[in-house]
Amino acid sequence: YKPLGNVELVDMNASTLVGVMWGPTDRFALVEDGDGNGFILRVGDRVQNGRVVAVQEESLVATISLYGITSRVILRLEDRKDQR
């Protein structure tokens, strides 16, 4: 996983939520993009055309603005047991 710095922003429409971690003072989501790159995202972090607005126990929520229309993208943890 790499911090978002001068790298390309995560495309939420082509990403998968692989984990959520939290403690007393911090909460972050582990996200994998379509190319298999991993990212750590927190509330307020920029993503392609938007920002992360919530990190919950089993989901990540971002608002995306494209062509003047704002929508929410919600990534949910997948149940890995179903993939076996």
Side-chain angles (χ1 to χ4, degrees):
Y1 292 92
K2 43 188 162 178
L4 291 176
N6 294 330
V7 297
E8 207 171 302
L9 297 176
V10 178
D11 179 0
M12 296 301 291
N13 292 314
S15 296
T16 304
L17 181 63
V18 294
V20 176
M21 300 187 74
W22 65 90
T25 60
D26 194 15
R27 182 178 291 220
F28 57 90
L30 307 172
V31 176
E32 186 174 279
D33 70 8
D35 295 327
N37 298 314
F39 299 89
I40 296 172
L41 296 175
R42 290 177 171 84
V43 171
D45 283 349
R46 291 180 56 213
V47 294
Q48 194 173 63
N49 301 313
R51 287 200 180 276
V52 174
V53 294
V55 176
Q56 301 164 344
E57 281 188 33
E58 296 189 8
S59 64
L60 173 127
V61 182
T63 56
I64 307 296
S65 296
L66 201 56
Y67 306 112
I69 299 171
T70 301
S71 59
R72 285 184 159 219
V73 173
I74 301 173
L75 300 181
R76 298 186 192 283
L77 283 175
E78 296 177 5
D79 188 359
R80 299 277 181 193
K81 295 176 195 170
D82 294 339
Q83 296 178 359
R84 290 184 193 165

